[in-house]
Amino acid sequence: MYSKFGRIGYARYIFDNIPERNEASWNTMMSGYVRVGLYPESIGFFSGMIGRGVKPSGFVIASLITACDKSACMFNEGLQLHAFVVKIGLLCDVFVGTSLLHFYGTYGLVSKSRKLFEEMPDKNVVTWTSLIVGHSNNGDLGEVMSIYKRMRLEGVCCNDNTFAIVISTCGMLEDELLGHQVLGHVMKLGLENSVSVANSLISMYGGCGNVDEAFYVFDHMDERDIISWNSIISASAQNGLCEESIRCFHHMRHVNKEVNSTTLSSLLTVCGSTDKLKWGSGIHGLVVKFGLESNVCVGNTLISMYSEAGRSEDAELVFQRMTEKDIISWNSMLACYVQNEECQKVLKLFAKILRMRKPVNYVTLTSALSACPNSEFLIQGKILHAIAVLTGLQDNVIIGNALVTMYGKFSMMVEAEKVLQIMPKRDEVTWNALIGGYAESKDPNEVIKAFKLMREEGTPANYITIINVLGGFMSPGDLLKHGMPFHAHIVLTGFESDKYVQSTLITMYAKCGDLNSSHSIFNGLDFKNSIAWNALIAANANHGLEKALKLVVMMKKAGVDLDQFSFSVALSVSADLAMLEEGQQLHGLVVKLGFDSDHYVTNAAMDMYGKCGEMEDVLKLLPSPTNRSRLSWNILISSFAKHGCFQKAREAFHEMLNLGTKPDHVTFVSLLSACSHGGLVDDGLAYYYAMTTEFGVPPGIEHCVCIIDLLGRSGRLAEAENFIKGMVVQPNDLVWRSLLAACKIHRNVELGRKAAEHLLELDPSDDSAYVLLSNVCATTGRWEEVENVRRQMGSRNITKKPACSWVKLKTEVNKFGMGEQSHPQTGQIYAKLGELMKMIREAGYVPDTSYALQDTDEEQKEHNLWNHSERIALAFGLINTPEGSPVKVFKNLRVCGDCHSVYKHVSAAVGRKIVLRDPYRFHHFSDGKCSCSDYW
């Protein structure tokens, strides 16, 4: 009696004072501990009971196994009980077997529960239902329906609990027709008036998006319980009907129905967005008011709500304050970190789960695997794979899919295919992951091969399959061999009408060099949505930046709403074209439409300001250090490097490390570039070696180019050459061009010839090889060799890329070539140049005619230097911008050394700041000094 009322202390006192205890006494006391939730104590009591030689009943064993199930942290004790059951021969007891089934299902080990089920001699409807529950909780929805069909074939009569789970599964499968078929079976057995069946029907219709039918069932129920109200609130919430959910909640309270944790959890699920968070905060207040803060289910939903609304700090706070956590609590927090791309936090929390011996299921492990986005996490990924094997979760199809995806991200396609081959069951997600991996590895032949194998196995393709296949085609050759035939397959199978496939076709043709076909597909669309517009904008951005920006304007005029992707691409184009005014206008629109809270848009705006020379604006937009993503850190380090703030780039890198953000491939490219441009040779070399040894980032060609540039600029040409010989990646044109440029600076003709030869082997039509070699010879006065190189260019019809500079005034770009004479203000420009020449000569400027690479007299060389495009652009800028304002000049090639000297002198003479951007960096001139400290 006392244990039934939760007074376990009194019950134990009476038990201890019974002079003669029988099996019933022990069993009753044992059940009392389980009933009040004292699960560890129940195991301890059971050990004492066995020690006294008392024989436990099947009911007690089943109760104990249920305790291990409900505790969510007594897996090992459950295994020991299973062994004990086998030892005493109680496995044939249907109640014991059923409780073991439920136990394994709770811990996600459905393969073990299935094996146990098949070995049980006797099964009842509860046994079958327990197996169904295990598969349902494990996400094996198809298996739930298979077991239900088998029950019917074997003549097992379902109860209302069985039907409730099966009907709810139809909702999760979004298969309303299948649900109606099950409903027919319900009516045949006369269970249509069951409250639990009606509740599951409401859930099913909600899952299928048919809220009207859900309300019809609800309105026609003769009797409703709290689950009925929770189900209709949940159905509304599932379909994003926030206000309808709130109305149902208000009605529920009006009819004096008790509000429980499920009610509030259902309401919280619909508040996981920035605009609905006000409702969520109000419901959080009700949670506190009703004293449900300690409820695990409510805590879990609060974590998810704050996570989805982008409030990870609030989610963490809720998690930390939870006095009790179940497996869903841990999984929810992991999911929050995954959503914020905080990979290190995911892995640290997962390690903590293991250390605390908390249960791990397929959801836990899937989140951990998702936190291994690239080959930097190879070791962690392999450890997680081993854990999947050790815990028996590798047979789970979702885990298998996550492993195939992970190895695909690592470009380890042999391992990805091995995982796929040993999976006991594969679905379209499995094949999509494999095809996507081959597409990422740029292996179109394997992409097609995997697609054919998928079809041979009978797995139907979906739109994601089609998108992944198209993503594998990157060149004109791929287009002819695979792309166009696959396009025909798309038309035949009806996927051509899918909006995502349409946009991917636009992208595929553009990537393969056929932009006309991209425009043709776009123009042929009956409905041009934002996805199609974004695809076309991105396609044009890779072929002609100004056209891409015009398309953004056209998209807006067409009345199509710009989204995060549109803004990101448009800002990126503005950055590459250095169109500050357009970028500022776009950023203004971003703020106006509320996209300034979007992580990717903010980073695109930061990058735009950095590339347009506005470092102050980069710092204004920069998130606080603790909220900075790796992408934000990378943009900051890159911007500092481009603007000559080399020490600040290093400081940002070390701050990033101190805050626990792991650097990646891009981080080190920016950092090494800063060291190269700043002359920080020893620091750069130290970072390069730490990159692989400490941070596990494999050296890429971009890192190698930075090191060659670093050594070359500092005159350590022999070391640069030896570095090339020892490179782990094949040297490309950037490598040899960087070495050749260094040979020009340090006048090393012999090594310059070698570099030029390698460059021409890679591309005989590369004009930069001839130009740089000619310049190397010219700087050493070898004019005959210069003429010889120029004759070779002429005989091979190779022309030098002409140098040009430009100044942007409002929306107008004024472009100038060498000795420009066609500009309307030519007279004023050259008069200004003469004025500047006189001013800086008086200030001590002496021309360095070694930068005039023609075999002429000194006077002509000096005249040629004053015809350089960057000087003409500077004169134009000074004439046409307000007195005292900064002048911005852009050049398509590296600035000449003497022009650099002129810019320094002019900045002092006219008292104005001048910003010069070349392809490599920004030079900020002020008071006769440059931000590069004359090292660039």
Side-chain angles (χ1 to χ4, degrees):
M1 179 189 76
Y2 282 113
S3 64
K4 284 182 180 178
F5 289 103
R7 308 299 290 272
I8 199 70
Y10 289 113
R12 182 61 191 259
Y13 176 80
I14 292 169
F15 174 82
D16 289 339
N17 287 283
I18 296 174
E20 288 187 27
R21 304 181 194 115
N22 57 21
E23 287 181 10
S25 312
W26 284 93
N27 290 338
T28 304
M29 189 66 230
M30 171 77 249
S31 300
Y33 276 117
V34 175
R35 184 180 292 112
V36 296
L38 296 173
Y39 305 131
E41 289 81 354
S42 65
I43 293 290
F45 185 83
F46 177 71
S47 299
M49 177 178 169
I50 298 302
R52 300 265 184 129
V54 180
K55 184 181 177 182
S57 66
F59 174 76
V60 166
I61 296 290
S63 181
L64 267 177
I65 295 167
T66 301
C68 297
D69 178 348
K70 288 182 177 179
S71 74
C73 60
M74 292 169 63
F75 179 65
N76 289 332
E77 290 85 346
L79 291 178
Q80 290 166 7
L81 281 169
H82 188 174
F84 180 77
V85 164
V86 173
K87 183 180 177 181
I88 64 173
L90 266 178
L91 196 59
C92 59
D93 186 300
V94 70
F95 298 106
V96 173
T98 301
S99 61
L100 278 169
L101 271 182
H102 204 278
F103 165 77
Y104 283 119
T106 298
Y107 284 93
L109 301 174
V110 287
S111 56
K112 286 187 180 293
S113 63
R114 188 61 177 263
K115 185 173 182 290
L116 179 67
F117 176 82
E118 301 300 347
E119 290 172 355
M120 286 175 67
D122 296 313
K123 307 176 185 79
N124 60 19
V125 66
V126 180
T127 314
W128 284 90
T129 305
S130 292
L131 184 65
I132 285 175
V133 169
H135 281 286
S136 176
N137 291 341
N138 203 47
D140 300 329
L141 305 181
E143 200 58 42
V144 169
M145 301 312 298
S146 296
I147 296 166
Y148 166 69
K149 288 173 186 173
R150 185 176 160 190
M151 282 180 77
R152 294 198 63 186
L153 285 171
E154 294 190 19
V156 180
C157 189
C158 300
N159 62 18
D160 48 1
N161 290 329
T162 318
F163 281 123
I165 297 163
V166 173
I167 291 170
S168 296
T169 300
C170 295
M172 287 185 274
L173 288 167
E174 297 181 11
D175 193 335
E176 196 172 327
L177 178 61
L178 186 60
H180 286 156
Q181 291 171 353
V182 177
L183 181 57
H185 188 199
V186 168
M187 296 181 77
K188 186 177 178 181
L189 294 175
L191 292 171
E192 66 271 18
N193 292 323
S194 163
V195 175
S196 61
V197 170
N199 293 342
S200 65
L201 278 169
I202 294 168
S203 297
M204 181 196 77
Y205 285 123
C208 294
N210 197 340
V211 185
D212 290 340
E213 286 293 333
F215 270 100
Y216 179 86
V217 173
F218 179 80
D219 292 338
H220 287 79
M221 288 176 72
D222 296 327
E223 180 189 349
R224 299 188 191 107
D225 59 11
I226 192 168
I227 297 171
S228 314
W229 286 97
N230 290 343
S231 297
I232 196 65
I233 289 170
S234 179
S236 300
Q238 265 183 293
N239 290 278
L241 302 174
C242 182
E243 292 182 18
E244 192 63 51
S245 300
I246 300 292
R247 271 196 292 272
C248 288
F249 175 63
H250 178 74
H251 190 200
M252 176 184 184
R253 297 188 71 190
H254 183 70
V255 297
N256 297 317
K257 277 292 178 186
E258 179 190 354
V259 172
N260 64 10
S261 58
T262 308
T263 318
L264 296 178
S265 294
S266 298
L267 286 167
L268 288 167
T269 59
V270 81
C271 300
S273 63
T274 310
D275 57 328
K276 303 228 172 58
L277 194 58
K278 59 180 180 180
W279 295 104
S281 300
I283 296 160
H284 194 169
L286 284 177
V287 168
V288 177
K289 181 181 177 181
F290 292 145
L292 291 169
E293 283 178 293
S294 60
N295 184 276
V296 179
C297 178
V298 172
N300 296 343
T301 320
L302 281 168
I303 293 170
S304 297
M305 180 193 74
Y306 284 120
S307 170
E308 287 166 16
R311 300 275 288 271
S312 58
E313 299 91 345
D314 290 325
E316 271 185 319
L317 196 61
V318 171
F319 180 76
Q320 288 161 5
R321 287 179 174 175
M322 288 175 72
T323 53
E324 185 185 344
K325 301 179 182 81
D326 64 7
I327 193 168
I328 298 171
S329 315
W330 295 94
N331 288 348
S332 299
M333 201 62 236
L334 284 170
C336 176
Y337 289 141
V338 169
Q339 188 171 309
N340 285 341
E341 298 179 2
E342 296 176 288
C343 302
Q344 294 295 342
K345 284 189 175 181
V346 174
L347 296 172
K348 281 179 184 176
L349 188 62
F350 182 76
K352 186 177 180 180
I353 291 168
L354 295 180
R355 280 197 307 274
M356 294 176 70
R357 298 182 179 275
K358 295 290 181 184
V360 172
N361 66 8
Y362 78 99
V363 180
T364 324
L365 198 53
T366 302
S367 291
L369 289 166
S370 300
C372 299
N374 53 52
S375 56
E376 294 171 35
F377 293 86
L378 174 61
I379 294 169
Q380 294 94 324
K382 287 194 168 184
I383 291 169
L384 290 170
H385 190 172
I387 290 169
V389 174
L390 289 170
T391 55
L393 288 169
Q394 81 276 16
D395 290 340
N396 181 284
V397 69
I398 295 171
I399 293 294
N401 294 343
L403 285 167
V404 174
T405 302
M406 180 189 76
Y407 283 118
K409 288 176 181 175
F410 295 169
S411 296
M412 297 173 68
M413 295 313 299
V414 173
E415 287 77 5
E417 198 158 338
K418 280 180 183 174
V419 172
L420 179 138
Q421 287 168 354
I422 62 171
M423 285 173 68
K425 184 182 176 185
R426 297 183 279 268
D427 59 14
E428 70 274 8
V429 179
T430 321
W431 287 102
N432 289 348
L434 185 71
I435 292 167
Y438 278 124
E440 285 291 317
S441 301
K442 298 176 183 176
D443 194 339
N445 294 326
E446 288 297 328
V447 166
I448 291 296
K449 182 181 171 185
F451 178 68
K452 286 178 178 175
L453 287 171
M454 177 184 183
R455 293 184 71 195
E456 286 170 12
E457 194 172 88
T459 305
N462 59 17
Y463 77 96
I464 296 171
T465 318
I466 305 299
I467 288 169
N468 284 352
V469 173
L470 290 170
F473 310 143
M474 309 288 287
S475 68
D478 294 341
L479 181 64
L480 288 171
K481 186 178 178 182
H482 301 302
M484 294 174 83
F486 194 72
H487 189 175
H489 171 79
I490 289 169
V491 175
L492 285 171
T493 51
F495 279 107
E496 196 179 27
S497 59
D498 183 276
K499 60 184 178 181
Y500 299 105
V501 173
Q502 290 167 352
S503 64
T504 312
L505 280 167
I506 291 168
T507 303
M508 185 271 292
Y509 276 103
K511 280 184 178 177
C512 294
D514 188 356
L515 193 59
N516 289 335
S517 291
S518 294
H519 278 272
S520 178
I521 292 168
F522 178 80
N523 293 332
L525 297 178
D526 294 328
F527 176 65
K528 297 175 178 67
N529 55 26
S530 61
I531 299 166
W533 276 102
N534 288 339
L536 193 68
I537 291 165
N540 279 273
N542 293 322
H543 288 79
L545 296 172
E546 292 184 38
K547 174 67 174 173
L549 214 51
K550 286 177 184 175
L551 282 167
V552 172
V553 176
M554 288 169 63
M555 177 180 176
K556 195 166 182 294
K557 284 181 179 176
V560 180
D561 290 334
L562 296 170
D563 58 17
Q564 294 96 321
F565 186 85
S566 317
F567 281 119
S568 296
V569 172
L571 287 165
S572 176
V573 171
S574 300
D576 292 335
L577 289 173
M579 289 181 162
L580 178 61
E581 288 80 5
E582 287 82 351
Q584 287 172 327
Q585 289 168 16
L586 282 165
H587 188 210
L589 196 57
V590 163
V591 175
K592 182 180 177 182
L593 297 177
F595 286 105
D596 51 327
S597 61
D598 184 88
H599 166 71
Y600 295 102
V601 175
T602 299
N603 283 321
M606 282 171 56
D607 191 45
M608 181 274 295
Y609 282 118
K611 288 177 179 175
C612 289
E614 301 296 320
M615 195 64 212
E616 287 182 9
D617 287 317
V618 174
L619 297 175
K620 283 177 188 174
L621 289 177
L622 189 67
S624 63
T626 52
N627 290 327
R628 249 172 245 168
S629 66
R630 183 163 59 188
L631 180 57
S632 299
W633 283 109
N634 287 349
I635 291 169
L636 179 64
I637 294 167
S638 175
S639 297
F640 277 141
K642 282 187 173 73
H643 287 265
C645 308
F646 312 120
Q647 291 301 336
K648 285 185 178 180
R650 293 178 67 238
E651 287 167 13
F653 174 73
H654 289 288
E655 187 183 3
M656 172 186 179
L657 296 183
N658 291 336
L659 288 167
T661 304
K662 189 175 180 181
D664 64 1
H665 175 99
V666 179
T667 317
F668 281 103
V669 171
S670 299
L671 185 63
L672 293 173
S673 176
C675 293
S676 172
H677 288 295
L680 308 172
V681 182
D682 293 334
D683 289 318
L685 292 171
Y687 286 132
Y688 177 79
Y689 293 115
M691 178 180 79
T692 50
T693 56
E694 289 182 37
F695 300 101
V697 177
I701 196 71
E702 298 91 344
H703 305 123
C704 296
V705 170
C706 287
I707 293 299
I708 294 157
D709 196 50
L710 178 84
L711 295 168
R713 285 175 191 271
S714 62
R716 294 159 68 166
L717 295 175
E719 287 180 62
E721 187 180 13
N722 288 331
F723 180 84
I724 294 171
K725 290 175 183 175
M727 276 169 56
V728 293
V729 288
Q730 191 70 23
N732 67 358
D733 60 323
L734 296 172
V735 168
W736 297 114
R737 198 174 290 117
S738 182
L739 183 63
L740 186 50
C743 291
K744 174 186 174 291
I745 296 169
H746 298 287
R747 304 184 179 191
N748 189 323
V749 179
E750 293 308 313
L751 186 56
R753 280 202 194 97
K754 284 185 190 177
E757 285 170 8
H758 284 291
L759 199 49
L760 291 169
E761 278 176 20
L762 293 169
D763 183 5
S765 64
D766 188 341
D767 67 305
S768 67
Y770 294 99
V771 172
L772 285 168
L773 180 58
S774 169
N775 292 347
V776 172
C777 296
T779 54
T780 55
R782 303 188 185 199
W783 299 111
E784 286 185 16
E785 292 186 42
V786 171
E787 285 303 314
N788 183 40
V789 172
R790 289 174 181 171
R791 276 195 297 272
Q792 287 179 37
M793 287 181 73
S795 64
R796 292 169 187 173
N797 293 320
I798 296 167
T799 55
K800 175 189 172 184
K801 181 182 180 180
C804 72
S805 301
W806 63 95
V807 176
K808 192 166 183 294
L809 299 176
K810 295 184 179 178
T811 58
E812 186 183 355
V813 176
N814 292 268
K815 195 173 179 181
F816 305 93
M818 175 83 169
E820 183 68 51
Q821 295 290 331
S822 62
H823 195 275
Q825 290 181 269
T826 296
Q828 290 173 270
I829 290 168
Y830 282 97
K832 188 68 175 179
L833 280 174
E835 181 188 324
L836 293 172
M837 187 191 301
K838 185 180 178 184
M839 289 172 69
I840 65 174
R841 274 184 184 280
E842 290 172 359
Y845 161 72
V846 177
D848 184 352
T849 55
S850 67
Y851 288 98
L853 304 176
Q854 294 89 20
D855 187 14
T856 59
D857 58 40
E858 289 299 304
E859 186 178 342
Q860 183 61 46
K861 284 183 178 180
E862 187 178 348
H863 174 75
N864 291 344
L865 285 172
W866 279 92
N867 277 329
H868 280 191
S869 65
E870 54 262 59
R871 301 191 196 197
I872 299 170
L874 174 61
F876 172 83
L878 290 168
I879 293 166
N880 291 281
T881 53
E883 193 70 33
S885 65
V887 178
K888 288 186 182 178
V889 178
F890 301 86
K891 189 179 179 187
N892 68 331
L893 300 177
R894 189 172 182 268
V895 62
C896 142
D898 190 61
C899 290
H900 189 271
S901 177
V902 166
Y903 270 58
K904 285 199 301 178
H905 280 90
V906 169
S907 71
V910 301
R912 292 175 71 175
K913 290 182 179 179
I914 304 168
V915 179
L916 172 64
R917 173 185 157 176
D918 66 17
Y920 306 102
R921 59 179 297 171
F922 281 91
H923 295 268
H924 294 263
F925 299 93
S926 180
D927 298 324
K929 295 177 182 177
C930 180
S931 58
C932 73
S933 302
D934 298 336
Y935 189 95
W936 80 96

